[in-house]
Amino acid sequence: MVHQEFQIAGKKPGLQVWRLEKMDLKPVPSEAYGYFFTGDSYILLYTTKAPSYYIHMWLGSESSADEQGAAAIFATQMDEFLGGGPQQFREVQGYESNRFMGYFKNGVQYKKGGAASGFKHVKTNDVTAKRLLHLKGRRIIRATEVEMSWDSFNNNDCFIIDLGKDIYQWCGSKCNRYERLKSTTVAIGIRDNERSGRSDLHMVDEGDESDEIIQVLGPKPDIPDGSKDDEADRASKRTATLYMISDATGSMKATLVSEASPFKQADLLLTECYFLDNQADKKLFVWKGPSANAAERNAAMNAAQQYIKQKNYPMHTQIQILPGGGESTLFKQFFCDWKAKYDTTGPGEAYTIGSIAVVEQIPFDATALHNNQAMAAQHNMVDDGSGEVKIWRVEEGEKVAVEQSSYGQFFGGDCYLILYSYSLGGRRQHIIYIWQGLKCSQGELTASAFLTVTLDDEMGGTPVQVRVTQGQEPAHLVSLFKEKPMMLFLGGTSRKGGQSQPGSTRLFHIRRSTTGATRAVEVEPSAAFLNTNDVFVLKSEGSVFMWRGLGSTEEEEAAAKYVADYLGGSLKEVKEGGEPAAFWSALGGKKEYQTSKSLQNMVKPPRLFGCSNKTGRLIAEEVPGELTQMDLAPDDIMLLDTWDQIFLWIGKDANDVEKKGAPKIATDYVSSDPSGRGPIPVTTIKQGSEPPTFTGWFQAWDPKMGDNVMANFT
């Protein structure tokens, strides 16, 4: 029999929460989302627009074993009701997953008691409240109700003294500005959600306590230091072990498949279930093969909990259950060759509809760029490229001006600096592109970095810096050359006297981007590089062919003619399917190439990481949930991954260790990605000088956010 609460489960996108009361599911009112009684267990369901489903079983630190067992049964039944496709998570109070915490951007609150003790969820407008909340965490805020006593305080953290009509945010002498700012969201949430705006907020620094606080807490003693090792922010570790599960419905056995990551996707048989044990980070993944028997699939949670007991792991070890085909990014990072169903290689891009496409695509319109930051961000265009362009080539440690007639031509043996200047909102803005050829020397790479710093200083330290590896040019850079295509040569140099003789056979791949700009990229002269969606120019001894794929555009054909004129020779147009023998002969014979005309853009949800050495070592930690401007910590370096672009955001208060180490984190992050993206542009941005290509990823960007938040306090 289907539980009546399942009838409403997953019917619309968003979060649904149930609490176990007398071994039954009872819905939690939406105004109480984010509040959890420590004596209870909960079931949470998050549904995306696709839809795809995420089921979380939350266990309070004081909940009973019977209640926890009932929660596991309900989670399994809900999984079955939703077709066996949801990801399942076991969450333990204080050790919740990033995905779970991402549902509550203002943090979670742990309240004493539970349903068995008669405790109800939040009483709205309760001006008689009297409680003390300890706020912990930088990226993830957890508010725990503690004893109303000075003994609960420390000077590293923030606390909320909730007296009903008055809410005091007390900040320890050693907490920083960002922790203070994040904590204000909790205080504002209590005022707005629990008191309907009827409470007054007060900001109190340690040592400036009012008479009202002293009256409640008594004389203030010396406040001790708190723990610097914040359990809420743990570094991700990629060491793991892989086991195959057998007899999961009876006496569970785990057979070792691979002792250490990275694993191979072929290790996972579709007819079996597996444990991926990441104990270094206190995580256990359970992978359910799509062809495994139903009994084993349904027993996955019990098998995982049994495994934790056998291994004597902490009971707060996170458990995540994944159906085959619904793997999370964290799971796939342990595999060196993971390929999803729709992944492609080469210049083609993959596309999926539904479970992956969570970001709305916005068509490009150059005339609307300044008024549509979301468009600017998705297409990586600060404007239409009509500003002022200056280009220098790095040569013997100096920058040498490139002749304007050669603008748009980039040789793989060179490094270039491109300074782009434009006006935005009445202010002069600048971007420095550092283009690095794949065959340039190490000395030129080093010199390009030094010359960029010098040029940045000359421009007042305000330019956005974008490091670009050959072949990974962002749309805006390509657009700077107006009607001409941006031409990228495999090797060679543009410096006088340094040119080498190109090969007798050359092949150029021409593609137009969604913004209308076109690139002509020299590739190896082989038929394997052809693509039915694009145009190619082939130069061989005595002939120049323009090959038009069935899915090519007129704009690409026009760019191809420009390339043919540059190469010289008599142009012969060839349609796909009507190639002469000389064409195939020049390419070394026919070969299989990309013939699918369904290539479209994959919309990947952006990911945000904080790079910090606050714990004594430089680590990168992912920020959970939807992106918000509040997630950008002024005392850190933030890494924003938008799939085809990496942004490094430098907070005003970031220290030198973080500034020096963040670029390496960005490089390591991309190189270790199982999808094999390869080198992609890395843009460095300073706080206060963010371009719309960055701010557009954050809804309702507010340049005065910090001041506006603090205006809530008296």
Side-chain angles (χ1 to χ4, degrees):
M1 182 178 176
V2 177
H3 195 287
Q4 61 180 10
E5 286 298 324
F6 293 172
Q7 301 294 345
I8 61 171
K11 296 299 183 185
K12 58 182 180 180
L15 184 65
Q16 293 171 275
V17 183
W18 295 268
R19 178 166 73 155
L20 268 77
E21 298 181 14
K22 297 180 180 179
M23 301 301 169
D24 197 11
L25 287 181
K26 299 294 182 183
V28 173
S30 58
E31 62 268 20
Y33 286 5
Y35 299 89
F36 297 91
F37 285 105
T38 59
D40 288 333
S41 296
Y42 294 76
I43 299 293
L44 291 82
L45 172 66
Y46 186 79
T47 306
T48 70
K49 291 180 181 180
S52 54
Y53 307 102
Y54 302 88
I55 298 172
H56 301 261
M57 176 180 71
W58 187 90
L59 309 176
S61 60
E62 299 172 350
S63 60
S64 68
D66 288 343
E67 217 172 52
Q68 293 181 13
I73 292 172
F74 280 125
T76 300
Q77 290 176 345
M78 186 176 291
D79 178 89
E80 279 188 87
F81 177 77
L82 295 171
Q87 293 185 24
Q88 292 184 55
F89 300 76
R90 174 180 175 268
E91 313 281 2
V92 177
Q93 178 186 334
Y95 299 90
E96 295 86 355
S97 66
N98 271 9
R99 173 170 287 280
F100 180 93
M101 295 301 296
Y103 304 143
F104 312 102
K105 294 301 287 188
N106 290 337
V108 298
Q109 291 189 36
Y110 305 133
K111 299 174 67 66
K112 293 180 179 179
S117 307
F119 285 89
K120 303 292 184 183
H121 268 285
V122 181
K123 287 169 59 181
T124 303
N125 300 333
D126 181 13
V127 293
T128 64
K130 186 177 180 181
R131 58 177 174 165
L132 177 64
L133 297 175
H134 179 189
L135 309 184
K136 194 74 172 169
R138 282 176 58 77
R139 323 257 176 241
I140 303 168
I141 294 291
R142 290 177 170 89
T144 305
E145 189 172 347
V146 294
E147 181 184 357
M148 181 70 83
S149 165
W150 284 118
D151 293 339
S152 301
F153 285 74
N154 70 72
N155 58 21
N156 286 100
D157 297 327
C158 292
F159 293 77
I160 289 178
I161 306 166
D162 182 4
L163 302 182
K165 291 187 66 176
D166 292 286
I167 300 172
Y168 297 89
Q169 179 179 327
W170 184 94
C171 301
S173 57
K174 295 185 179 179
C175 77
N176 62 43
R177 184 175 182 272
Y178 179 64
E179 291 167 338
R180 176 190 297 242
L181 192 62
K182 288 283 283 186
S183 298
T184 62
T185 62
V186 179
I188 292 171
I190 294 173
R191 180 196 64 185
D192 295 345
N193 300 327
E194 295 186 33
R195 308 290 152 70
S196 299
R198 290 181 171 85
S199 296
D200 294 326
L201 299 181
H202 309 272
M203 181 68 71
V204 179
D205 290 324
E206 181 181 356
D208 293 332
E209 293 79 11
S210 64
D211 292 340
E212 290 79 6
I213 293 177
I214 300 299
Q215 185 177 349
V216 172
L217 290 169
K220 176 174 165 286
D222 291 336
I223 302 297
D225 290 345
S227 171
K228 294 183 179 180
D229 183 17
D230 193 342
E231 281 296 312
D233 292 330
R234 294 181 290 270
S236 176
K237 305 174 180 66
R238 294 191 174 189
T239 55
T241 308
L242 186 66
Y243 296 91
M244 180 190 294
I245 310 168
S246 58
D247 298 325
T249 58
S251 177
M252 188 276 302
K253 297 177 183 177
T255 305
L256 181 66
V257 175
S258 183
E259 203 166 29
S261 55
F263 312 122
K264 293 186 178 297
Q265 193 172 359
D267 292 335
L268 302 176
L269 302 179
L270 303 183
T271 56
E272 304 293 343
C273 295
Y274 294 82
F275 288 152
L276 193 156
D277 184 349
N278 178 217
Q279 180 52 23
D281 203 24
K282 296 182 175 62
K283 288 185 175 68
L284 178 67
F285 299 90
V286 184
W287 186 84
K288 301 188 299 184
S291 301
N293 71 66
E296 279 201 346
R297 288 166 59 86
N298 292 338
M301 182 62 76
N302 285 334
Q305 295 189 116
Q306 185 181 343
Y307 175 83
I308 287 174
K309 290 180 181 178
Q310 286 182 359
K311 290 284 189 177
N312 291 319
Y313 288 164
M315 289 310 295
H316 62 252
T317 299
Q318 290 179 14
I319 298 174
Q320 183 177 352
I321 299 180
L322 305 166
E327 298 82 2
S328 65
T329 302
L330 286 177
F331 178 82
K332 290 187 286 188
Q333 72 176 354
F334 295 101
F335 294 81
C336 61
D337 63 345
W338 192 276
K339 287 292 180 185
K341 177 180 178 182
Y342 298 98
D343 283 356
T344 66
T345 57
E349 296 175 321
Y351 179 77
T352 59
I353 296 175
S355 59
I356 301 296
V358 296
V359 180
E360 179 186 358
Q361 281 189 283
I362 301 175
F364 181 75
D365 176 7
T367 63
L369 270 174
H370 294 302
N371 299 320
N372 191 333
Q373 291 192 347
M375 179 196 300
Q378 284 197 18
H379 295 280
N380 198 26
M381 297 286 288
V382 296
D383 68 354
D384 60 1
S386 59
E388 181 184 355
V389 180
K390 293 182 180 179
I391 303 178
W392 298 270
R393 182 180 55 254
V394 177
E395 191 172 332
E396 296 182 357
E398 301 292 337
K399 63 181 199 292
V400 178
V402 173
E403 294 182 5
Q404 287 198 6
S405 60
S406 298
Y407 278 16
Q409 299 172 18
F410 293 84
F411 291 81
D414 287 333
C415 279
Y416 299 86
L417 300 185
I418 304 102
L419 175 63
Y420 180 71
S421 303
Y422 65 106
S423 296
L424 179 64
R427 294 175 56 192
R428 198 66 171 159
Q429 307 281 350
H430 308 281
I431 301 174
I432 301 173
Y433 290 105
I434 309 100
W435 190 91
Q436 300 173 339
L438 293 176
K439 297 183 179 180
C440 68
S441 69
Q442 185 60 46
E444 288 171 336
L445 289 173
T446 302
S448 69
F450 173 78
L451 293 171
T452 299
V453 173
T454 303
L455 182 58
D456 184 90
D457 289 342
E458 291 173 0
M459 305 304 294
T462 61
V464 171
Q465 297 177 28
V466 184
R467 178 175 57 84
V468 180
T469 302
Q470 181 179 353
Q472 303 295 331
E473 293 75 18
H476 186 257
L477 174 58
V478 180
S479 75
L480 302 188
F481 308 107
K482 310 303 185 291
E483 70 281 355
K484 297 191 300 184
M486 183 179 189
M487 295 185 64
L488 307 178
F489 299 94
L490 268 178
T493 176
S494 61
R495 67 185 64 185
K496 292 181 179 180
Q499 293 89 345
S500 56
Q501 185 67 29
S504 59
T505 303
R506 308 177 74 183
L507 182 64
F508 289 81
H509 181 179
I510 290 95
R511 170 173 287 179
R512 180 177 182 266
S513 72
T514 56
T515 63
T518 309
R519 284 193 315 162
V521 182
E522 185 176 9
V523 296
E524 295 294 337
S526 168
F529 285 92
L530 297 177
N531 189 309
T532 193
N533 297 274
D534 303 319
V535 176
F536 288 76
V537 173
L538 171 64
K539 179 177 174 58
S540 62
E541 293 182 357
S543 299
V544 177
F545 296 96
M546 181 177 75
W547 183 87
R548 296 184 301 169
L550 295 176
S552 63
T553 66
E554 292 181 1
E555 292 84 356
E556 289 166 346
E557 293 174 21
K561 291 177 180 178
Y562 177 89
V563 174
D565 287 342
Y566 175 85
L567 295 174
S570 177
L571 181 64
K572 300 176 183 178
E573 295 189 21
V574 176
K575 288 186 178 180
E576 183 178 8
E579 300 86 353
F583 177 83
W584 295 120
S585 176
L587 290 174
K590 285 186 178 182
K591 293 181 182 178
E592 186 177 351
Y593 62 88
Q594 174 59 268
T595 57
S596 171
K597 289 190 291 182
S598 60
L599 294 179
Q600 298 161 300
N601 293 325
M602 170 176 272
V603 183
K604 296 276 189 176
R607 303 176 69 191
L608 183 66
F609 299 82
C611 306
S612 170
N613 69 340
K614 301 298 183 294
T615 60
R617 56 196 176 96
L618 186 61
I619 54 178
E621 303 157 315
E622 185 163 10
V623 179
E626 297 288 334
L627 298 185
T628 68
Q629 189 179 348
M630 187 73 79
D631 293 325
L632 300 174
D635 56 342
D636 283 343
I637 306 290
M638 307 299 293
L639 184 153
L640 176 64
D641 176 9
T642 63
W643 186 251
D644 56 2
Q645 176 86 2
I646 297 289
F647 293 95
L648 280 179
W649 181 88
I650 302 176
K652 290 181 177 178
D653 300 324
N655 60 48
D656 290 339
V657 173
E658 292 164 346
K659 291 178 181 177
K660 292 177 181 177
K664 184 178 187 302
I665 285 181
T667 302
D668 291 347
Y669 171 76
V670 174
S671 63
S672 62
D673 190 333
S675 66
R677 280 186 279 175
I680 59 176
V682 177
T683 299
T684 302
I685 293 170
K686 300 177 183 68
Q687 182 181 357
S689 299
E690 298 88 351
T693 47
F694 179 82
T695 60
W697 292 104
F698 300 83
Q699 186 175 10
W701 180 272
D702 179 6
K704 297 182 179 179
M705 181 199 66
D707 294 338
N708 291 337
V709 170
M710 300 309 293
N712 286 274
F713 290 81
T714 59

